[in-house]
Amino acid sequence: VEAILQDLSDKLDGMREVDQAALRKTLSSYVALRQLAEREQLDGLAVRCWPEFFTELGCAACGAMSMLSDELTPCSCEADVNGAVTQLVLQWLSGEPAFGTDVVSFDLEGDDIVVWHCGLAPLSMADPSSQPRATIHSNRKLPLLMEFPLKPGRVTVARLSEATGEYRLVVAGGEMLHAPMSFTGTSGLLRFDRPAVEVLDSMLSEGLEHHISLTYGNHVPALLALARMLDLPVLCL
């Protein structure tokens, strides 16, 4: 844990400003989850982070999941198994980490969508013009969370959705824009290839889950090919 702490201190500002005992618990959780994945030969993890990590262990799981996702063991929070599978698919296609996030707001006039989560995005997705910081959970006030805006660039968005009771693959392409953080934690300003008002209408009318996954690069054709191979219905946002 001390070696990991030293390594992270070179990458994150503010490490000394958070509760040190709780910080070490997050790093211990990272070690334990990594060992679990290796022992059980798990490709990814869906972690029940809420509320037991805070109420029983006394730390946030977010930082641990961020580090694991960066090492290509994708982690979804809130025990979102379908989200973890989606991240794994995107990671296999891109060869890079994937991030499971919430869709939290729509600016229909600006044609932008804010994606956000507490602080579990892989550090490799940080905007290079912004220095990542160690921070605390916005509700429970415990570390460790990663805080930074997502880097600009082409992204592929997907979700293995079970909203209708049957599996289908939700697919979209878009551009992550250079923008300051919208909220604490990790967030990005996303412009889909379709107008934001149409994406909003599709998400609401189809009753989709609020979690989506993304990776950098254009992998929509590969996702559509995979859906054909698996005989999965496709919904394009």
Side-chain angles (χ1 to χ4, degrees):
V1 166
E2 294 305 316
I4 297 166
L5 177 60
Q6 182 59 51
D7 180 62
L8 267 186
S9 296
D10 295 335
K11 300 175 181 177
L12 292 174
D13 284 352
M15 289 283 280
R16 295 179 181 273
E17 300 169 16
V18 299
D19 184 298
Q20 296 299 293
L23 169 63
R24 282 170 168 80
K25 289 180 180 180
T26 297
L27 301 184
S28 297
S29 300
Y30 157 73
V31 173
L33 290 171
R34 184 177 64 183
Q35 291 175 348
L36 175 68
E38 291 172 352
R39 186 181 72 235
E40 302 297 332
Q41 297 183 325
L42 304 175
D43 291 314
L45 298 167
V47 179
R48 183 182 165 108
C49 56
W50 186 274
E52 288 87 357
F53 263 84
F54 301 102
T55 59
E56 297 184 20
L57 190 57
C59 69
C62 313
M65 291 189 283
S66 167
M67 290 186 285
L68 284 163
S69 293
D70 241 339
E71 296 171 356
L72 303 183
T73 300
C75 292
S76 69
C77 62
E78 298 165 358
D80 181 3
V81 175
N82 288 344
V85 172
T86 309
Q87 287 172 248
L88 190 60
V89 168
L90 290 174
Q91 174 185 291
W92 282 338
L93 292 177
S94 68
E96 298 181 7
F99 170 39
T101 181
D102 287 352
V103 176
V104 293
S105 72
F106 286 79
D107 179 358
L108 301 185
E109 292 184 2
D111 201 29
D112 302 321
I113 296 169
V114 174
V115 294
W116 165 90
H117 230 293
C118 312
L120 58 80
L123 276 173
S124 58
M125 291 187 177
D127 188 329
S129 68
S130 175
Q131 174 61 38
R133 289 189 56 83
T135 191
I136 59 175
H137 194 274
S138 54
N139 292 330
R140 296 289 182 161
K141 309 303 181 186
L142 288 169
L144 170 68
L145 284 71
M146 313 301 193
E147 184 167 80
F148 56 84
L150 296 177
K151 64 184 179 183
R154 188 70 186 172
V155 296
T156 299
V157 173
R159 170 75 190 181
L160 180 62
S161 175
E162 213 174 354
T164 61
E166 296 181 353
Y167 283 117
R168 59 179 171 169
L169 191 62
V170 179
V171 179
E175 194 78 17
M176 197 67 68
L177 306 178
H178 176 72
M181 289 186 303
S182 302
F183 306 100
T184 60
T186 43
S187 65
L189 192 64
L190 176 60
R191 181 166 292 159
F192 279 93
D193 291 339
R194 291 177 60 201
V197 65
E198 294 181 12
V199 175
L200 175 62
D201 182 67
S202 294
M203 292 190 72
L204 294 180
S205 62
E206 297 288 343
L208 297 181
E209 302 91 339
H210 67 288
H211 280 179
I212 60 171
S213 299
L214 64 87
T215 193
Y216 281 81
N218 179 20
H219 308 287
V220 170
L223 280 175
L224 297 178
L226 177 65
R228 289 193 296 270
M229 290 170 60
L230 299 177
D231 198 23
L232 277 174
V234 173
L235 174 63
C236 291
L237 288 181

